[in-house]
């Protein structure tokens, strides 16, 4: 059928632009993955090298025109990086929470040892006492002090009032028995069961996983640890609320930064002054790591990207159709693409078929283009229509050749609606051939400037 028809076209240039934008989003996802992984200490150079190698392999698909394979793999790689960043953040959070709980158990052991030594009447060196009693002792020094204190506990003298006979009996009863280790002794001490402290450790772990410094909460946590368990549960509520809010804000900010990086990368493929200006604004936010107008910038970027993609795609479709028809012998001038946009349609003439041509329209408000064979003539006069059906038949073959030309160039043309030959009379277009307006037209060419 080669009566009036509507068709969609995807050009090679449009496909390449789609792939480039997707590769830009992948670069943004990699940058985000590295930033988060380095922030919580869960990636190293080997991890980064593997991701970069996969990215380079995907870029190679673009250079070898493997567009379909590339468009399948890119979303999968981006999704993997996002999921992996979340997994690593969860791992960092759990490791940090375990570290906090281990340190809390160590402090409990230190306090228990200090109490046992004091009740045994052992003279405790000042340095060891300070290390055991201080809440700010680093884990390495606290562990060393605990080991020294435990040795002192084993060598402690017997309590006053024990006779030599009792000591002798105790020594004989204990002969051959294995001395209790520090780990065994610690396991018999009461554990940390304070739910408020356990929840605090969980939130601190999440902050670590998000790459957020928990320092602003340190003083409040240290103060809370000094309170009795009964009073601690009452005072912990406000701290837990603030920690929960910090975690929530941190998650939202992380997602927002990821979205901004994606838009920043995608705008790098746009070449308008508006895109450059907006990209600069987003870059300022990303470099300063401040919060403020991120949502507005994301909204503006989405609108601009959509508008520029639509404009670029429409231009490339018009160019591809006009160049294809020029290759089939139709007279195409450099100004026709502009005339198509401004007038909504354009008519092409072919020297091999005087009196007939094709009319192109559409493509401005949607991605659908329309084409139909037309006859040139005087609208006020009766014209000979005997060749109209033959012209439509010829145009049917030419349209198939146009599809082949676009496919050969890496694009795709698909008919959406078509009418049978002869169903409608040919549209008559006023013939301006030879008029002063036509003589002033731009020189006919076979290839339009991009």
């Amino acid at each position: 059928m080669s009566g009036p028809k509507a068709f969609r076209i995807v050009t090679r240039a449009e496909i390449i632009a789609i792939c480039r934008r997707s590769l830009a989003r992948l670069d943004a996802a990699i940058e985000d993955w590295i930033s988060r992984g380095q922030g919580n200490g869960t990636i190293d150079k080997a991890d980064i090298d593997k991701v970069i190698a996969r990215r380079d392999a995907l870029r190679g698909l673009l250079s070898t025109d493997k567009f379909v394979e590339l468009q399948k793999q890119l979303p999968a790689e981006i999704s993997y990086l996002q999921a992996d960043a979340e997994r690593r953040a969860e791992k960092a959070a759990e490791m940090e929470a375990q570290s906090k709980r281990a340190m809390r158990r160590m402090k409990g052991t230190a306090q228990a040892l200090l109490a046992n030594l004091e009740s045994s009447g052992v003279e405790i060196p000042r340095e060891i006492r300070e290390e055991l009693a201080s809440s700010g002792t680093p884990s390495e020094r606290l562990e060393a002090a605990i080991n020294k204190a435990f040795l002192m506990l084993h060598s402690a003298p017997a309590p006053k009032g024990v006779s030599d006979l009792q000591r002798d009996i105790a020594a004989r009863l204990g002969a051959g028995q294995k001395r209790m280790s520090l780990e065994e002794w610690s396991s018999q001490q009461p554990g940390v069961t304070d739910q408020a402290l356990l929840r605090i450790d969980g939130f601190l772990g999440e902050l670590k996983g998000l790459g957020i410094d928990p320092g602003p909460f340190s003083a409040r946590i240290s103060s809370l640890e000094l309170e009795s368990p009964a009073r601690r549960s009452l005072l912990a509520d406000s701290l837990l609320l603030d920690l929960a809010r910090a975690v929530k804000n941190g998650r939202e900010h992380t997602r927002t930064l990821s979205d901004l990086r994606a838009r920043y990368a995608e705008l790098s493929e746009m070449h308008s002054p508006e895109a450059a200006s907006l990209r600069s604004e987003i870059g300022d936010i990303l470099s300063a790591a401040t919060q403020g107008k991120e949502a507005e910038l994301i909204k503006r970027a989405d609108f601009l990207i959509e508008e520029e993609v639509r404009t670029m795609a429409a231009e490339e479709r018009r160019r591809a159709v006009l160049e294809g028809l020029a290759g089939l012998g139709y007279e195409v001038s450099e100004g026709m693409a502009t005339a198509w946009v401004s007038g909504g349609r354009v008519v092409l003439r072919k020297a091999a078929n005087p009196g007939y041509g094709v009319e192109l329209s559409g493509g401005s408000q949607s991605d659908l283009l329309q084409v139909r064979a037309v006859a040139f003539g005087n609208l006020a006069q009766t014209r000979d229509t005997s060749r109209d059906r033959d012209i439509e038949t010829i145009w049917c073959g030419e349209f198939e050749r146009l599809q082949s030309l676009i496919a050969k160039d890496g694009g795709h043309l698909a008919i959406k609606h078509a009418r049978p030959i002869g169903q409608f009379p040919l549209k008559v277009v006023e013939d301006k051939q030879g008029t002063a307006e036509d003589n002033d037209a731009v020189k006919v060419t076979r290839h339009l400037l991009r």
Side-chain angles (χ1 to χ4, degrees), residues 390-428:
D390 292 337
I391 289 298
E392 286 197 279
T393 302
I394 292 171
W395 167 238
C396 180
E398 289 182 332
F399 190 82
E400 291 178 355
R401 289 171 61 194
L402 176 63
Q403 285 181 296
S404 298
L405 288 173
I406 289 174
K408 185 178 180 181
D409 192 42
H412 175 70
L413 188 156
I415 298 173
K416 294 303 177 183
H417 308 288
R419 299 298 184 183
I421 293 173
Q423 182 176 1
F424 298 103
L426 288 189
K427 178 180 179 180
V428 179

Side-chain angles (χ1 to χ4, degrees), residues 315-327 330-340 346 348 360 442-450:
E315 290 175 353
E316 289 298 330
R317 290 165 192 155
R318 288 190 292 267
R319 180 196 59 77
V321 172
L322 290 172
E323 284 192 356
L325 290 174
Y330 285 86
E331 299 173 354
V332 179
S333 68
E334 292 179 3
M336 279 187 171
T338 302
W340 187 348
V346 68
L348 282 67
L360 298 167
V442 182
K443 182 181 178 181
V444 172
T445 179
R446 293 261 176 153
H447 296 284
L448 298 179
L449 295 177
R450 290 178 180 265

Side-chain angles (χ1 to χ4, degrees), residues 100-138:
K100 294 288 184 185
R101 289 163 187 159
M103 186 63 180
R104 203 175 298 286
R105 285 193 297 270
M106 196 181 296
K107 289 180 180 179
T109 299
Q111 292 169 2
L113 277 170
L114 190 60
N116 274 266
L117 287 171
E118 289 176 342
S119 65
S120 300
V122 176
E123 184 177 349
I124 308 171
R126 181 177 59 83
E127 296 82 2
I128 295 179
R129 177 184 291 276
E130 290 178 351
E131 299 281 70
L132 294 175
S134 174
S135 61
T137 305

